[in-house]
Amino acid sequence: ISAGTKLGCGQGGCGACTVHISDDEKTWTPINSCLRPIGLLNNKYVRTIEGLPELKLSYEKTETSGASSHAGTAHVHACANNGICRGCPMEGECGPVHDQPPAKSTLDPRQTLAEFNGSQCGFCSPGMIMASYPHVKEREGDLSPLDIEDLFSGNICRCTGYRSILCGMKTYAKDGNAEELRNTPPYVLDEANNYANNPARWNHPNVTVSAVPIKPYEHRDYKHHDAIRPAAIAAPSRPSPHRWHTPSPTSVAMLKRDIATGSYSTNYKLVYGNTSYGVYPQFEWANVGVFVDISGISELTNIDPYPPNEWLNPWSFKGTPWKDQGAVKHPLSPATRAKQVGRQVSIGAGVTIQKLVKWLEADHDEYRAARPFMRACAQHFKRIAGHQVRNAGSIGGSLMMAKQWNFPSDTWTVLDGAQCAVTWWSPQSNDETPRSFEEFQNATGELVVLNVILTLWEDAPSELEGASSSPSKAGAGQAASVCFASARVAQRLQNAHPLVNFAAFNHGNPDWENSFSCVWGNIDVCNKKSQENQNAESRWPTIPNTSHYRLSKGPSSRIWAATLAGWPADGDTLDTLMEQVEEELRNMAATAEEQGDPVVRCRVATNLLRKYCIVNLGAPSSEEATNSLRQTIYQARTATPSSGSQMFMVNTAEEPVSEPFIKASAIGQTTGEAIYTQSILPPNT
């Protein structure tokens, strides 16, 4: 029983419940335990914070003022001024700095988090450690400061403001965190109270330090206290309305056979990562009798090249090989088509979002020309949820959330906008032809998503989300370039559902009548309303209830016509076209406000398209305005790592009051040993 693993939000958003899972006890992956039913742990190893290697604190006696410090880190020394030390190295009141900080910390993250004062109440601290430990301590490879920050995208702290957490953890980056440490003062050593010196806090020698080496932290043995027992041991046993089917399918063929022969009950649910439960707990398990674990089907977890001789035409999706599609009108020019042959991959429905991100960010020599497009997609996927959810949530599961619950899935928006195809199997049709997202959206009955076919576009950088090599201005002369862009607007950069997400694609062929298309998420289209609009005006399509909406043919054609014509003054202006788009969206959008006011969402959605037209399609705008639109808030916030400074006003006449001590309970919090009321049973229970 783990007292260190905490139950926070119960929705996979706070990260306090983070644990590690593994197939081999060698490579550990952080996930949210609050979303992982025990039925999904078959053949898995689980590690809680108590299972981390034994913590051995690293201290040694130094020659500097007799102060105790860390092995391999900077020395601290005593302040020569007996008055008020303001901690400013420019004031010249203190002695010289003796050593530079190490290039990279080798300390245990539990020690680092404690000594950088990264815990206050400490409730979230075990989750912070578990989210980062496999990456900073157990895996080889160079992590940038931005990589370190991304590890905590699924963790929330209500106390510290994150600066102290990130300042300490970024000492594990490949180049360390020396710059920020210059603006962070050292802490006091106090051996008698188990206080510790913070590593590498070296440029603010502003406090008096103990001349006696610190003793290692003595772990408290809470088991000796009869009044303190983990509450989990008293959980009442009650019959569950659900059961897990055994044996779990190990191949797609086995899964198909079991479904076709009725081995599962009529109310069965296929489960891969169960992250959808964090969004729809009231629906996901309702009326489900049998759960089927499909995480053991290795075929669903692969990313494989799609055979070049079977290159799919993304605008026909008839499933016939490319060589037989000569009679099908194609939007791509022959030159563009030639470049794209052999640049399609099949992404298994069980591929996790994080695995797809890593694959898109990797350097594949065979897809070198498509790197801008791949990095643009990866950048959007990294904004989905938090790190732990991306480690568990699958591509297929995300698509099914959108289809079944109208979830504004970013995965759907990006893949649909990039002209992907979806392959699914249904026992009613037994057809596995790759088809468009629109057909998938309209499909009914039982279905199992098998894979997504992604074309790795060569000339498709995204200005909205920051790919690096797109044209500076599209204009009429550059309209033939393939161009993809995606964007999302949310309350936070990561770990927040989108207010609106968006993807647009320009096929780049002037001869194709509707070369431009775009899709939004979280428009919440109401079927009844779309039916009324269809009957009344015949302008907008009839579509099923969905959170995703594609711009209808009329405005799309007019936008493309204006692009080809170079946006002439006597044609449709950008303002006129955007008014038509917003009118369409407001007529289609439902009135539900769970994800924000629908009027605001429609306005935001329209402005994302306006930005795409200006930046990528050459719509008229001043050069200054166009340049300002090229960088998003997300780009600006992630261009450089976050940083901060900290200063203590220490009055040595009032010691130890005002001195920046590290609390004695810090190590107990970061190791998960600290006990909270949620872990204590009431008396007489």
Side-chain angles (χ1 to χ4, degrees):
I1 296 171
S2 173
T5 304
K6 305 297 192 291
L7 177 61
C9 66
Q11 298 177 333
C14 71
C17 68
T18 302
V19 298
H20 301 157
I21 62 170
S22 175
D23 293 322
D24 55 10
E25 288 192 289
K26 296 179 181 179
T27 302
W28 296 95
T29 301
I31 63 163
N32 300 106
S33 62
C34 70
L35 300 180
R36 181 63 60 124
I38 197 168
L40 283 179
L41 297 176
N42 189 32
N43 295 321
K44 300 286 187 184
Y45 296 94
V46 180
R47 182 172 71 176
T48 66
I49 192 168
E50 291 87 351
L52 296 182
E54 180 183 358
L55 174 61
K56 297 179 180 179
L57 300 180
S58 176
Y59 299 104
E60 68 173 8
K61 183 76 171 291
T62 73
E63 300 302 322
T64 305
S65 301
S68 169
S69 185
H70 295 299
T73 65
H75 300 169
V76 295
H77 62 288
C79 174
N81 183 14
N82 292 323
I84 297 178
C85 183
R86 302 185 183 278
C88 176
M90 303 304 296
E91 292 182 7
E93 297 179 352
C94 302
V97 175
H98 291 279
D99 293 311
Q100 298 295 313
K104 184 176 180 179
S105 176
T106 59
L107 299 178
D108 191 288
R110 290 166 287 184
Q111 182 175 354
T112 298
L113 185 64
E115 296 180 356
F116 272 79
N117 269 2
S119 69
Q120 288 188 29
C121 79
F123 192 83
C124 73
S125 299
M128 297 284 180
I129 294 298
M130 296 299 284
S132 58
Y133 195 95
H135 302 276
V136 302
K137 198 63 179 173
E138 296 180 333
R139 295 181 187 171
E140 296 296 330
D142 292 331
L143 292 173
S144 70
L146 287 174
D147 293 331
I148 298 288
E149 291 188 3
D150 185 60
L151 297 179
F152 299 98
S153 59
N155 292 77
I156 291 177
C157 176
R158 299 299 189 189
C159 302
T160 65
Y162 303 100
R163 197 209 74 85
S164 55
I165 296 171
L166 295 178
C167 181
M169 287 303 181
K170 281 187 287 189
T171 60
Y172 295 98
K174 57 185 176 183
D175 297 323
N177 195 23
E179 191 64 34
E180 190 170 5
L181 292 177
R182 287 189 175 92
N183 298 313
T184 303
Y187 286 116
V188 173
L189 292 173
D190 189 328
E191 181 223 317
N193 293 290
N194 288 324
Y195 299 141
N197 172 49
N198 199 294
R201 298 179 178 275
W202 56 279
N203 204 25
H204 281 267
N206 60 334
V207 291
T208 302
V209 296
S210 169
V212 182
I214 186 173
K215 292 188 300 184
Y217 178 82
E218 297 177 1
H219 295 277
R220 294 171 171 79
D221 188 356
Y222 293 110
K223 297 177 181 178
H224 292 170
H225 296 267
D226 294 334
I228 300 178
R229 291 176 289 150
I233 63 175
S237 60
R238 56 180 182 271
S240 171
H242 317 289
R243 69 179 180 87
W244 289 82
H245 179 83
T246 56
S248 300
T250 56
S251 67
V252 172
M254 182 177 176
L255 176 63
K256 293 178 183 177
R257 183 203 65 197
D258 289 346
I259 293 176
T261 58
S263 297
Y264 313 140
S265 71
T266 54
N267 296 324
Y268 70 91
K269 177 178 175 60
L270 306 182
V271 187
Y272 188 90
N274 199 50
T275 54
S276 57
Y277 185 81
V279 184
Y280 300 110
Q282 70 275 38
F283 302 129
E284 275 294 304
W285 287 30
N287 302 318
V288 175
V290 175
F291 291 101
V292 182
D293 176 11
I294 60 173
S295 62
I297 303 178
S298 59
E299 301 159 75
L300 298 179
T301 62
N302 297 329
I303 302 177
D304 299 314
Y306 200 77
N309 63 336
E310 296 182 6
W311 196 88
L312 288 175
N313 177 351
W315 295 277
S316 66
F317 293 123
K318 302 301 181 184
T320 56
W322 167 246
K323 62 184 179 181
D324 297 331
Q325 292 182 352
V328 179
K329 187 175 182 181
H330 202 284
L332 298 183
S333 64
T336 302
R337 264 182 279 169
K339 287 191 296 184
Q340 298 306 148
V341 171
R343 300 192 185 281
Q344 287 184 319
V345 292
S346 171
I347 304 168
V351 171
T352 64
I353 297 172
Q354 189 63 28
K355 180 177 179 178
L356 179 58
V357 167
K358 292 180 66 175
W359 188 88
L360 290 169
E361 289 185 329
D363 291 330
H364 304 280
D365 289 338
E366 64 271 36
Y367 306 130
R368 184 181 301 274
R371 283 180 184 173
F373 168 74
M374 296 166 69
R375 301 292 166 83
C377 291
Q379 190 176 75
H380 194 129
F381 285 128
K382 288 175 74 171
R383 298 186 62 187
I384 297 174
H387 201 264
Q388 296 91 320
V389 170
R390 297 197 299 269
N391 281 335
S394 66
I395 298 298
S398 184
L399 299 183
M400 288 305 297
M401 283 179 67
K403 179 173 176 57
Q404 187 169 6
W405 304 120
N406 297 345
F407 180 68
S409 164
D410 286 274
T411 304
W412 181 298
T413 301
V414 172
L415 297 179
D416 187 3
Q419 313 300 313
C420 291
V422 187
T423 306
W424 69 90
W425 174 83
S426 170
Q428 287 77 31
S429 65
N430 202 30
D431 182 8
E432 296 183 20
T433 300
R435 300 185 183 278
S436 69
F437 269 72
E438 187 171 3
E439 292 176 90
F440 177 61
Q441 188 170 276
N442 292 319
T444 58
E446 297 176 89
L447 56 88
V448 179
V449 179
L450 300 178
N451 58 51
V452 173
I453 309 300
L454 172 65
T455 301
L456 302 175
W457 300 106
E458 282 197 10
D459 300 320
S462 164
E463 282 285 2
L464 292 188
E465 289 294 77
S468 59
S469 61
S470 60
S472 59
K473 189 82 169 174
Q478 296 175 339
S481 297
V482 173
C483 185
F484 166 82
S486 69
R488 81 191 304 262
V489 176
Q491 292 178 323
R492 296 185 295 273
L493 296 184
Q494 294 174 296
N495 205 15
H497 295 166
L499 177 70
V500 173
N501 52 39
F502 166 80
F505 190 88
N506 167 31
H507 304 161
N509 186 350
D511 297 327
W512 187 254
E513 61 181 359
N514 194 20
S515 185
F516 166 76
S517 63
C518 70
V519 59
W520 293 275
N522 209 25
I523 295 301
D524 290 331
V525 175
C526 172
N527 186 47
K528 180 179 178 182
K529 196 165 191 176
S530 65
Q531 182 68 53
E532 291 172 352
N533 289 331
Q534 176 77 10
N535 294 339
E537 304 183 39
S538 298
R539 286 199 286 169
W540 298 299
T542 301
I543 57 177
N545 288 347
T546 177
S547 183
H548 293 83
Y549 181 68
R550 299 171 193 82
L551 186 62
S552 64
K553 184 176 180 180
S556 297
S557 299
R558 288 191 289 274
I559 290 173
W560 184 234
T563 302
L564 293 177
W567 298 89
D570 58 348
D572 287 326
T573 66
L574 181 61
D575 288 340
T576 300
L577 291 171
M578 293 303 103
E579 288 172 2
Q580 296 170 3
V581 169
E582 185 171 352
E583 179 191 7
E584 177 173 327
L585 293 178
R586 293 182 65 172
N587 274 276
M588 297 300 296
T591 57
E593 297 187 8
E594 287 82 359
Q595 291 295 330
D597 182 271
V599 175
V600 173
R601 284 186 279 124
C602 291
R603 178 63 57 85
V604 171
T606 303
N607 285 337
L608 290 174
L609 175 56
R610 177 189 294 270
K611 181 174 181 177
Y612 179 88
C613 291
I614 292 174
V615 174
N616 296 291
L617 299 183
S621 176
S622 67
E623 182 176 355
E624 181 181 0
T626 302
N627 290 334
S628 68
L629 290 174
R630 293 188 184 283
Q631 187 177 54
T632 64
I633 295 175
Y634 177 76
Q635 287 177 275
R637 291 281 298 276
T638 57
T640 58
S642 63
S643 63
S645 61
Q646 188 167 325
M647 184 172 293
F648 296 101
M649 301 293 290
V650 179
N651 188 339
T652 56
E654 297 178 355
E655 293 179 326
V657 176
S658 80
E659 290 186 341
F661 283 116
I662 296 173
K663 59 181 181 290
S665 60
I667 288 288
Q669 292 173 343
T670 61
T671 58
E673 295 180 59
I675 295 295
Y676 296 81
T677 53
Q678 106 166 5
S679 301
I680 303 175
L681 288 175
N684 303 319
T685 59

